[in-house]
Amino acid sequence: MNENLLQRGKNIKLAVFDVDGVLTDGRLYFLEDGSEFKSFSTLDGQGIKMLMAAGVQTAIITGRKTPVVERRAKNLGIPHLYQGREDKLVVLDELLAQLGLSYEEVAYLGDDLPDLPVIRRVGLGMAVANAAAFVREHAHGITVARGGEGAAREFCELILHAQGRLEAANAAYL
């Protein structure tokens, strides 16, 4: 595992996720009645739960606004949800002030240009494997998995491993 990423992950107290292209495969599905649905990976959801159980706070910041994302965040117990916000760095600043945290204590997983200002600013800024090329170039690291296919789980496990908590997180299920 990349030593630089592990070093960056040691002091993470808040993990932030984009939705479309990160927690989903990035496709938008619209039904005839105008409603929308998304497909989420249960692996990613379990990774987020493991991270929270280890004491790392979680948040979602997404440019789109849908009831499906609100339901998923509630289902996972993610306490900080910001939808319909393209200005992700402004949102992060608000959240950091509320939580009393610094950029160095934040990990962010994104996939496209609106995520780039946050990825470049935080302590651990990562891109999913199928992120836009320019975003991958500027991220601290890139997941092996694609968005919606376990990338968030990989990101969560990296943080847990960096903090020496991955074995305990896994052992909790034995």
Side-chain angles (χ1 to χ4, degrees):
M1 194 167 284
N2 183 313
E3 270 312 307
N4 179 45
L5 294 181
L6 290 175
Q7 192 62 37
R8 288 178 174 279
K10 279 186 179 179
N11 298 315
I12 298 303
K13 293 189 168 92
L14 172 66
V16 183
F17 302 86
D18 177 35
V19 175
D20 295 315
V22 173
L23 296 179
T24 74
D25 65 6
R27 294 183 180 133
L28 301 177
Y29 300 93
F30 296 98
L31 300 176
E32 285 186 32
D33 66 3
S35 62
E36 181 178 342
F37 72 91
K38 298 176 185 293
S39 175
F40 297 93
S41 166
T42 57
L43 290 174
D44 290 343
Q46 185 60 42
I48 291 169
K49 287 180 180 181
M50 290 165 60
L51 205 56
M52 291 187 300
V56 176
Q57 297 189 65
T58 57
I60 288 175
I61 303 174
T62 179
R64 296 180 48 78
K65 183 173 176 66
T66 67
V68 173
V69 172
E70 186 174 343
R71 190 173 313 122
R72 182 65 171 155
K74 184 176 182 179
N75 177 262
L76 292 175
I78 297 172
H80 308 287
L81 172 61
Y82 300 88
Q83 293 197 79
R85 299 286 301 267
E86 291 278 335
D87 54 346
K88 296 181 180 192
L89 195 55
V90 171
V91 175
L92 182 60
D93 285 339
E94 294 168 10
L95 184 56
L96 293 181
Q98 177 187 335
L99 299 176
L101 297 175
S102 68
Y103 287 120
E104 292 75 30
E105 297 171 304
V106 176
Y108 186 90
L109 185 61
D111 74 313
D112 211 346
L113 295 174
D115 303 309
L116 195 53
V118 177
I119 287 173
R120 294 186 54 164
R121 190 71 180 262
V122 298
L124 176 61
M126 292 188 63
V128 297
N130 57 324
F134 191 69
V135 175
R136 291 193 317 265
E137 278 178 41
H138 291 278
H140 298 127
I142 303 165
T143 63
V144 173
R146 298 167 58 86
E149 298 176 5
R153 174 65 168 266
E154 186 180 330
F155 175 74
C156 292
E157 288 186 353
L158 174 102
I159 295 166
L160 290 168
H161 181 68
Q163 297 181 2
R165 299 179 187 181
L166 183 57
E167 283 188 32
N170 287 329
Y173 293 91
L174 294 176

Tab-separated table of all heavy atoms in Angstrom, residues 19-21 23-30 35-41 62 64-72 83:
chain	number	residue	atom	x	y	z
A	19	VAL	N	-21.456	11.836	-4.667
A	19	VAL	CA	-22.413	10.751	-4.911
A	19	VAL	C	-22.285	10.209	-6.329
A	19	VAL	O	-21.796	9.102	-6.537
A	19	VAL	CB	-23.866	11.197	-4.632
A	19	VAL	CG1	-24.847	10.089	-5.008
A	19	VAL	CG2	-24.035	11.561	-3.175
A	20	ASP	N	-22.727	10.977	-7.323
A	20	ASP	CA	-22.763	10.484	-8.699
A	20	ASP	C	-21.352	10.252	-9.224
A	20	ASP	O	-20.542	11.166	-9.292
A	20	ASP	CB	-23.513	11.466	-9.604
A	20	ASP	CG	-24.978	11.574	-9.214
A	20	ASP	OD1	-25.597	10.521	-8.980
A	20	ASP	OD2	-25.490	12.699	-9.136
A	21	GLY	N	-21.064	9.000	-9.565
A	21	GLY	CA	-19.742	8.638	-10.046
A	21	GLY	C	-18.814	8.164	-8.940
A	21	GLY	O	-17.716	7.700	-9.209
A	23	LEU	N	-20.339	7.126	-5.189
A	23	LEU	CA	-21.187	6.150	-4.504
A	23	LEU	C	-22.108	5.439	-5.493
A	23	LEU	O	-22.728	4.436	-5.152
A	23	LEU	CB	-22.006	6.822	-3.404
A	23	LEU	CG	-21.199	7.425	-2.251
A	23	LEU	CD1	-22.122	8.081	-1.236
A	23	LEU	CD2	-20.316	6.380	-1.587
A	24	THR	N	-22.198	5.965	-6.700
A	24	THR	CA	-22.942	5.316	-7.786
A	24	THR	C	-22.009	5.195	-8.983
A	24	THR	O	-20.907	5.738	-8.990
A	24	THR	CB	-24.181	6.133	-8.220
A	24	THR	OG1	-23.747	7.272	-8.974
A	24	THR	CG2	-25.014	6.569	-7.031
A	25	ASP	N	-22.490	4.536	-10.037
A	25	ASP	CA	-21.672	4.389	-11.244
A	25	ASP	C	-21.681	5.638	-12.115
A	25	ASP	O	-21.073	5.663	-13.181
A	25	ASP	CB	-22.106	3.160	-12.050
A	25	ASP	CG	-23.516	3.270	-12.603
A	25	ASP	OD1	-24.168	4.335	-12.483
A	25	ASP	OD2	-23.994	2.254	-13.147
A	26	GLY	N	-22.394	6.667	-11.681
A	26	GLY	CA	-22.415	7.925	-12.416
A	26	GLY	C	-23.543	8.050	-13.420
A	26	GLY	O	-23.764	9.122	-13.970
A	27	ARG	N	-24.264	6.967	-13.642
A	27	ARG	CA	-25.391	7.037	-14.567
A	27	ARG	C	-26.597	7.628	-13.866
A	27	ARG	O	-26.810	7.401	-12.683
A	27	ARG	CB	-25.735	5.646	-15.079
A	27	ARG	CG	-24.644	5.056	-15.934
A	27	ARG	CD	-25.074	3.707	-16.463
A	27	ARG	NE	-24.016	3.154	-17.284
A	27	ARG	CZ	-23.579	1.921	-17.186
A	27	ARG	NH1	-24.123	1.087	-16.317
A	27	ARG	NH2	-22.609	1.494	-17.951
A	28	LEU	N	-27.396	8.372	-14.606
A	28	LEU	CA	-28.636	8.938	-14.071
A	28	LEU	C	-29.798	8.201	-14.722
A	28	LEU	O	-29.889	8.121	-15.946
A	28	LEU	CB	-28.727	10.433	-14.379
A	28	LEU	CG	-27.584	11.289	-13.825
A	28	LEU	CD1	-27.744	12.746	-14.273
A	28	LEU	CD2	-27.540	11.199	-12.315
A	29	TYR	N	-30.680	7.660	-13.892
A	29	TYR	CA	-31.826	6.895	-14.374
A	29	TYR	C	-33.103	7.665	-14.073
A	29	TYR	O	-33.391	7.959	-12.917
A	29	TYR	CB	-31.894	5.533	-13.676
A	29	TYR	CG	-30.669	4.670	-13.890
A	29	TYR	CD1	-29.622	4.693	-12.986
A	29	TYR	CD2	-30.576	3.828	-14.995
A	29	TYR	CE1	-28.495	3.895	-13.177
A	29	TYR	CE2	-29.461	3.028	-15.198
A	29	TYR	CZ	-28.430	3.067	-14.286
A	29	TYR	OH	-27.328	2.278	-14.472
A	30	PHE	N	-33.865	7.966	-15.135
A	30	PHE	CA	-35.119	8.698	-14.979
A	30	PHE	C	-36.272	7.835	-15.470
A	30	PHE	O	-36.205	7.261	-16.560
A	30	PHE	CB	-35.093	10.005	-15.783
A	30	PHE	CG	-34.061	10.983	-15.298
A	30	PHE	CD1	-32.827	11.075	-15.919
A	30	PHE	CD2	-34.320	11.803	-14.209
A	30	PHE	CE1	-31.873	11.968	-15.474
A	30	PHE	CE2	-33.371	12.703	-13.754
A	30	PHE	CZ	-32.137	12.781	-14.385
A	35	SER	N	-39.408	10.680	-11.954
A	35	SER	CA	-38.646	10.303	-10.769
A	35	SER	C	-37.302	9.697	-11.187
A	35	SER	O	-37.114	9.276	-12.329
A	35	SER	CB	-39.440	9.342	-9.890
A	35	SER	OG	-39.719	8.149	-10.582
A	36	GLU	N	-36.410	9.663	-10.252
A	36	GLU	CA	-35.042	9.233	-10.511
A	36	GLU	C	-34.679	8.093	-9.572
A	36	GLU	O	-35.150	8.038	-8.448
A	36	GLU	CB	-34.122	10.440	-10.269
A	36	GLU	CG	-32.666	10.211	-10.497
A	36	GLU	CD	-31.848	11.483	-10.286
A	36	GLU	OE1	-32.416	12.589	-10.298
A	36	GLU	OE2	-30.635	11.349	-10.107
A	37	PHE	N	-33.842	7.181	-10.040
A	37	PHE	CA	-33.307	6.176	-9.133
A	37	PHE	C	-31.819	6.007	-9.371
A	37	PHE	O	-31.294	6.374	-10.425
A	37	PHE	CB	-34.068	4.848	-9.211
A	37	PHE	CG	-33.830	4.041	-10.457
A	37	PHE	CD1	-32.821	3.092	-10.497
A	37	PHE	CD2	-34.637	4.212	-11.565
A	37	PHE	CE1	-32.616	2.340	-11.645
A	37	PHE	CE2	-34.442	3.460	-12.706
A	37	PHE	CZ	-33.426	2.522	-12.752
A	38	LYS	N	-31.134	5.518	-8.354
A	38	LYS	CA	-29.690	5.308	-8.394
A	38	LYS	C	-29.397	3.931	-7.833
A	38	LYS	O	-30.149	3.393	-7.044
A	38	LYS	CB	-28.971	6.364	-7.543
A	38	LYS	CG	-29.162	7.786	-8.023
A	38	LYS	CD	-28.493	8.766	-7.078
A	38	LYS	CE	-28.765	10.192	-7.469
A	38	LYS	NZ	-28.156	10.599	-8.723
A	39	SER	N	-28.265	3.398	-8.201
A	39	SER	CA	-27.830	2.102	-7.711
A	39	SER	C	-26.588	2.307	-6.837
A	39	SER	O	-25.614	2.926	-7.273
A	39	SER	CB	-27.498	1.207	-8.911
A	39	SER	OG	-26.968	-0.010	-8.471
A	40	PHE	N	-26.652	1.807	-5.600
A	40	PHE	CA	-25.553	1.943	-4.648
A	40	PHE	C	-24.971	0.576	-4.333
A	40	PHE	O	-25.691	-0.416	-4.291
A	40	PHE	CB	-26.046	2.575	-3.339
A	40	PHE	CG	-26.561	3.970	-3.485
A	40	PHE	CD1	-27.909	4.209	-3.695
A	40	PHE	CD2	-25.702	5.055	-3.393
A	40	PHE	CE1	-28.396	5.498	-3.820
A	40	PHE	CE2	-26.177	6.348	-3.516
A	40	PHE	CZ	-27.528	6.568	-3.734
A	41	SER	N	-23.680	0.518	-4.047
A	41	SER	CA	-23.012	-0.727	-3.681
A	41	SER	C	-23.142	-0.973	-2.177
A	41	SER	O	-22.854	-0.086	-1.368
A	41	SER	CB	-21.531	-0.642	-4.046
A	41	SER	OG	-20.809	-1.681	-3.431
A	62	THR	N	-22.914	16.841	-2.601
A	62	THR	CA	-23.234	16.518	-3.989
A	62	THR	C	-23.912	17.691	-4.687
A	62	THR	O	-24.647	18.453	-4.053
A	62	THR	CB	-24.118	15.253	-4.067
A	62	THR	OG1	-24.427	14.980	-5.429
A	62	THR	CG2	-25.395	15.395	-3.265
A	64	ARG	N	-26.130	17.447	-7.120
A	64	ARG	CA	-27.523	17.151	-7.446
A	64	ARG	C	-28.330	16.990	-6.167
A	64	ARG	O	-27.775	16.717	-5.118
A	64	ARG	CB	-27.617	15.878	-8.290
A	64	ARG	CG	-26.952	16.028	-9.641
A	64	ARG	CD	-27.031	14.775	-10.479
A	64	ARG	NE	-28.366	14.190	-10.536
A	64	ARG	CZ	-29.381	14.637	-11.290
A	64	ARG	NH1	-29.186	15.679	-12.058
A	64	ARG	NH2	-30.554	14.038	-11.273
A	65	LYS	N	-29.641	17.123	-6.281
A	65	LYS	CA	-30.521	16.958	-5.121
A	65	LYS	C	-31.614	15.964	-5.472
A	65	LYS	O	-32.399	16.212	-6.395
A	65	LYS	CB	-31.129	18.307	-4.725
A	65	LYS	CG	-32.005	18.238	-3.483
A	65	LYS	CD	-32.431	19.628	-3.052
A	65	LYS	CE	-33.384	19.598	-1.885
A	65	LYS	NZ	-32.837	19.103	-0.651
A	66	THR	N	-31.627	14.830	-4.737
A	66	THR	CA	-32.656	13.821	-4.967
A	66	THR	C	-33.047	13.159	-3.649
A	66	THR	O	-32.206	12.999	-2.758
A	66	THR	CB	-32.169	12.711	-5.931
A	66	THR	OG1	-31.130	11.976	-5.297
A	66	THR	CG2	-31.674	13.267	-7.244
A	67	PRO	N	-34.306	12.765	-3.534
A	67	PRO	CA	-34.752	12.057	-2.328
A	67	PRO	C	-34.023	10.725	-2.126
A	67	PRO	O	-33.857	10.262	-1.005
A	67	PRO	CB	-36.247	11.821	-2.574
A	67	PRO	CG	-36.642	12.773	-3.644
A	67	PRO	CD	-35.415	13.035	-4.456
A	68	VAL	N	-33.575	10.111	-3.213
A	68	VAL	CA	-32.881	8.831	-3.130
A	68	VAL	C	-31.595	8.974	-2.300
A	68	VAL	O	-31.281	8.128	-1.470
A	68	VAL	CB	-32.556	8.291	-4.549
A	68	VAL	CG1	-31.693	7.046	-4.480
A	68	VAL	CG2	-33.823	8.027	-5.311
A	69	VAL	N	-30.855	10.047	-2.519
A	69	VAL	CA	-29.604	10.278	-1.780
A	69	VAL	C	-29.910	10.558	-0.314
A	69	VAL	O	-29.207	10.077	0.580
A	69	VAL	CB	-28.786	11.412	-2.419
A	69	VAL	CG1	-27.591	11.777	-1.554
A	69	VAL	CG2	-28.329	11.000	-3.815
A	70	GLU	N	-30.964	11.307	-0.064
A	70	GLU	CA	-31.366	11.565	1.323
A	70	GLU	C	-31.698	10.255	2.035
A	70	GLU	O	-31.286	10.017	3.175
A	70	GLU	CB	-32.564	12.507	1.353
A	70	GLU	CG	-32.950	12.932	2.746
A	70	GLU	CD	-34.050	13.981	2.756
A	70	GLU	OE1	-34.300	14.621	1.716
A	70	GLU	OE2	-34.661	14.152	3.823
A	71	ARG	N	-32.408	9.376	1.351
A	71	ARG	CA	-32.768	8.080	1.922
A	71	ARG	C	-31.525	7.229	2.177
A	71	ARG	O	-31.403	6.583	3.212
A	71	ARG	CB	-33.736	7.355	0.986
A	71	ARG	CG	-34.357	6.118	1.602
A	71	ARG	CD	-35.445	5.484	0.730
A	71	ARG	NE	-36.385	6.467	0.221
A	71	ARG	CZ	-36.621	6.671	-1.084
A	71	ARG	NH1	-36.022	5.951	-1.994
A	71	ARG	NH2	-37.488	7.580	-1.464
A	72	ARG	N	-30.579	7.231	1.238
A	72	ARG	CA	-29.354	6.434	1.403
A	72	ARG	C	-28.522	6.960	2.569
A	72	ARG	O	-28.017	6.176	3.380
A	72	ARG	CB	-28.538	6.451	0.103
A	72	ARG	CG	-27.263	5.617	0.159
A	72	ARG	CD	-27.555	4.156	0.314
A	72	ARG	NE	-26.342	3.350	0.165
A	72	ARG	CZ	-26.180	2.159	0.699
A	72	ARG	NH1	-27.159	1.588	1.373
A	72	ARG	NH2	-25.065	1.499	0.537
A	83	GLN	N	-26.880	18.599	-0.358
A	83	GLN	CA	-27.284	18.321	-1.737
A	83	GLN	C	-27.522	19.625	-2.488
A	83	GLN	O	-27.824	20.655	-1.891
A	83	GLN	CB	-28.571	17.500	-1.761
A	83	GLN	CG	-28.425	16.096	-1.222
A	83	GLN	CD	-29.585	15.234	-1.657
A	83	GLN	OE1	-29.620	14.760	-2.800
A	83	GLN	NE2	-30.544	15.028	-0.756
